[in-house]
């Protein structure tokens, strides 16, 4: 061991020993003990091993020589502490030793230890600890008499008290421990003289009048109820509903397939369209899907399903125009109590009707412009839907000219009517 001029504190409260550590000093740097060759420690050694430590006397301007030095030990006995001896210091360093008791060496294996400097600083509690370091305890033969004679009984009691204090794990079905608050609440909720329920040995009862029962045992997970063999009414033999129900316009009793679908083959020019659909009855909200075999060319068509009456076919509140219901197209209609409303949108790309002109007593309908016949290239579309030559005001128009392009000075000839072809 290195020999340097160290001084013991004038008012030391630590113990001293005449033992001298002949091994290398354990330096403590940044709270980490660095263990050099410290010699061999054997199981059963009692106060015969001394380890000497050295640390900077001042740590963050706190004088560690004024603190109590304790060695914290953890092994199978639990956790306990031992005192430092031979505390000495210089202006910069603090040196102390630890004599290992038989509580440390009572069993071979690994022992963990750490150094703690405790006390007060600026009238507040103070503690500085190192990180743990391990000591290897080699095995040896047992000396029972010596062990019982010199066993540190106080250390044993201290270890067991510390272990009891640290053992705060909650008990499990296989491990002893503390009773949790949740389990305590469960125990408090058990009524006095309560007994554990047992699995029932009674076979499940057959069908009968519902009854809450009186048995207190619980049913096993693999219990089997008897097969129900009797039913009331016609439930056991029924093949259809007792009473028919109208569903979406179809009379359904559960004994036949039903579909709201029909094909219309009424000729194109006939406004009264008829279809057949098995089981159909006309009610408000009824629905029918119809595929048209031919394009309807009649204005204001009607639809009669299963002779339930001819009802107007409308789209957006107005009668469907001619050519709107196209061949090989399928449409869905819903009855609102008065008329059949076409559901969805019409295919206006190919089935838009030709406009109908207005008359003195009837307004016209929107549609495509009627195609002009050959030779009508100089005519204009009139409100009645026909192609006509506009009347000429003889008071102002004195000349009509057919041209391929409007002359640049046409505005200078107000008496001439130019027909551009």
């Amino acid at each position: 061991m290195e020999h340097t001029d160290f001084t013991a504190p004038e008012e030391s409260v630590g113990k001293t020993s005449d033992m001298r550590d002949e091994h290398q000093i354990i330096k403590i740097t940044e709270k980490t003990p660095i263990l050099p060759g410290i010699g061999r420690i054997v199981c059963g050694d009692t106060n015969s091993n001394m380890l000497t430590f050295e640390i900077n006397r001042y740590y963050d301007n706190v004088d560690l020589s004024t603190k109590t030095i304790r060695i914290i030990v953890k092994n199978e006995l639990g956790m306990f502490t031992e005192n430092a001896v031979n505390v000495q210091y210089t202006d910069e360093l603090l040196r102390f030793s630890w004599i290992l008791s038989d509580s440390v060496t009572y069993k071979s294996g690994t022992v963990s230890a750490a150094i703690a400097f405790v006390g007060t600083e600026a009238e507040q509690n103070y503690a500085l600890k190192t990180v743990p370091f391990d000591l290897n305890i080699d095995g040896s033969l047992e000396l029972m008499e010596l062990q019982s004679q010199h066993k540190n009984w106080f250390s044993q009691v201290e270890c067991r008290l510390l272990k009891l204090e640290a053992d705060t794990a909650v008990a499990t079905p296989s491990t002893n421990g503390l009773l949790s608050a949740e389990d305590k609440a469960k125990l408090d909720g058990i009524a006095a003289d309560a007994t554990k329920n047992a699995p029932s040995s009674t076979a499940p009862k057959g069908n009968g009048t519902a009854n809450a029962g009186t048995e207190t045992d619980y049913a096993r997970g693999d219990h089997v109820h008897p097969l129900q063999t009797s039913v009331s009414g016609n439930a056991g033999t029924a093949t259809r509903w007792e009473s028919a129900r109208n569903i979406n316009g179809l009379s359904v009793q559960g004994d036949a397939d039903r579909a709201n679908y029909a094909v219309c083959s009424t000729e194109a020019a006939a406004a009264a369209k008829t279809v057949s659909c098995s089981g159909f009855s006309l009610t408000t909200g009824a629905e029918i899907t119809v595929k048209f075999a031919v394009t309807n060319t009649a204005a204001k068509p009607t639809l009669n399903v299963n002779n339930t009456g001819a009802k107007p076919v409308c789209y957006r509140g107005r009668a469907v125009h001619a050519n709107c219901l196209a061949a090989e197209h399928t449409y869905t209609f819903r009855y609102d109590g008065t008329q059949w409303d076409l559901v969805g949108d019409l295919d206006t790309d190919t089935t838009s009707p030709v406009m109908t002109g207005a008359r003195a007593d009837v307004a016209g309908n929107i549609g495509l412009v009627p195609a002009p016949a050959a030779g009508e290239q100089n005519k204009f579309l009139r409100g009645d839907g026909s192609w006509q030559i506009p009347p000429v005001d003889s008071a102002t128009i004195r000349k009509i000219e057919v041209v391929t392009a409007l002359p640049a000075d046409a505005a200078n000839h107000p008496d001439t009517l130019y027909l551009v072809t």
Side-chain angles (χ1 to χ4, degrees):
M1 185 179 72
E2 299 176 6
H3 294 282
T4 309
D5 293 333
F6 278 80
T7 303
E10 295 180 358
E11 298 180 359
S12 175
V13 294
K15 297 182 179 180
T16 60
S17 172
D18 292 332
M19 291 179 62
R20 290 292 179 266
D21 186 3
E22 298 299 332
H23 302 94
Q24 296 185 43
I25 294 176
I26 301 172
K27 300 294 182 70
I28 302 175
T29 303
E30 289 298 325
K31 300 184 180 181
T32 303
I34 308 299
L35 272 65
I38 60 173
R40 172 163 284 179
I41 304 172
V42 179
C43 175
D45 282 351
T46 305
N47 300 325
S48 58
N49 292 281
M50 173 180 280
L51 302 180
T52 301
F53 300 84
E54 189 175 279
I55 188 174
N56 287 340
R57 176 177 172 181
Y58 293 93
Y59 192 92
D60 290 341
N61 204 36
V62 174
D63 187 356
L64 298 182
S65 69
T66 63
K67 311 306 177 188
T68 300
I69 306 174
R70 305 294 298 273
I71 295 87
I72 306 170
V73 183
K74 181 180 180 181
N75 58 12
E76 292 194 6
L77 287 178
M79 292 183 63
F80 56 94
T81 61
E82 296 197 340
N83 295 318
V85 299
N86 297 344
V87 178
Q88 297 177 309
Y89 58 80
T90 66
D91 290 341
E92 297 180 354
L93 299 174
L94 175 65
R95 183 178 292 178
F96 57 92
S97 300
W98 171 30
I99 299 176
L100 280 62
S101 71
D102 58 351
S103 294
V104 180
T105 63
Y106 93 104
K107 189 174 182 180
S108 61
T110 300
V111 174
S112 294
I115 311 299
F117 302 85
V118 296
T120 59
E121 187 70 23
E123 298 183 354
Q124 294 190 19
N125 291 335
Y126 178 89
L128 182 145
K129 295 191 295 184
T130 69
V131 297
F133 58 92
D134 292 337
L135 300 177
N136 184 54
I137 310 299
D138 293 328
S140 182
L141 300 178
E142 298 291 341
L143 294 176
M144 300 302 295
E145 293 183 359
L146 180 64
Q147 185 181 40
S148 61
Q149 180 179 358
H150 296 285
K151 190 70 176 176
N152 188 339
W153 65 269
F154 177 80
S155 295
Q156 287 185 354
V157 173
E158 185 180 28
C159 290
R160 282 166 172 76
L161 289 175
L162 290 171
K163 184 175 186 300
L164 180 62
E165 181 180 356
D167 190 7
T168 58
V170 176
T172 68
S174 59
T175 307
N176 293 330
L178 300 180
L179 180 67
S180 69
E182 181 181 5
D183 290 340
K184 180 63 169 64
K186 291 179 181 178
L187 289 176
D188 290 345
I190 298 176
D193 300 326
T195 57
K196 178 181 178 182
N197 288 346
S200 175
S201 58
T202 304
K205 291 185 176 182
N207 61 298
T209 304
N211 192 310
T214 58
E215 188 171 341
T216 58
D217 296 337
Y218 63 85
R220 294 179 173 88
D222 58 352
H223 76 284
V224 179
H225 286 273
L227 179 66
Q228 183 176 0
T229 57
S230 63
V231 294
S232 60
N234 66 346
T237 59
T239 58
R240 65 178 187 173
W241 297 346
E242 184 175 0
S243 301
R245 296 290 185 269
N246 188 294
I247 300 177
N248 219 17
L250 292 182
S251 178
V252 179
Q253 204 163 357
D255 58 346
D257 295 334
R258 294 285 188 266
N260 298 61
Y261 178 79
V263 176
C264 180
S265 300
T266 305
E267 63 184 20
K273 309 298 182 182
T274 61
V275 295
S276 296
C277 181
S278 178
F280 182 85
S281 60
L282 187 61
T283 59
T284 300
E287 181 183 285
I288 185 72
T289 298
V290 180
K291 180 177 181 179
F292 285 82
V294 295
T295 298
N296 169 60
T297 59
K300 300 181 180 180
T302 61
L303 180 63
N304 188 344
V305 183
N306 273 18
N307 295 318
T308 55
K311 306 297 180 183
V313 177
C314 298
Y315 176 63
R316 295 185 178 179
R318 302 180 64 180
V320 171
H321 301 307
N323 300 312
C324 281
L325 303 176
E328 302 304 318
H329 281 231
T330 301
Y331 304 91
T332 297
F333 304 94
R334 188 171 294 277
Y335 185 63
D336 70 352
T338 303
Q339 63 193 26
W340 287 106
D341 288 328
L342 192 149
V343 179
D345 291 323
L346 287 171
D347 184 1
T348 57
D349 291 338
T350 58
T351 60
S352 296
V354 176
M355 65 166 283
T356 56
R359 298 198 304 268
D361 58 339
V362 179
N365 289 321
I366 62 172
L368 298 177
V369 174
E376 295 183 329
Q377 69 273 14
N378 295 327
K379 295 182 179 181
F380 296 87
L381 182 63
R382 202 166 60 180
D384 63 357
S386 63
W387 293 93
Q388 301 289 336
I389 294 177
V392 177
D393 186 356
S394 59
T396 57
I397 303 299
R398 301 183 181 278
K399 182 172 59 175
I400 298 177
E401 291 185 9
V402 178
V403 295
T404 58
L406 190 67
D409 60 346
N412 297 327
H413 304 280
D415 58 344
T416 302
L417 175 63
Y418 294 100
L419 298 180
V420 181
T421 61

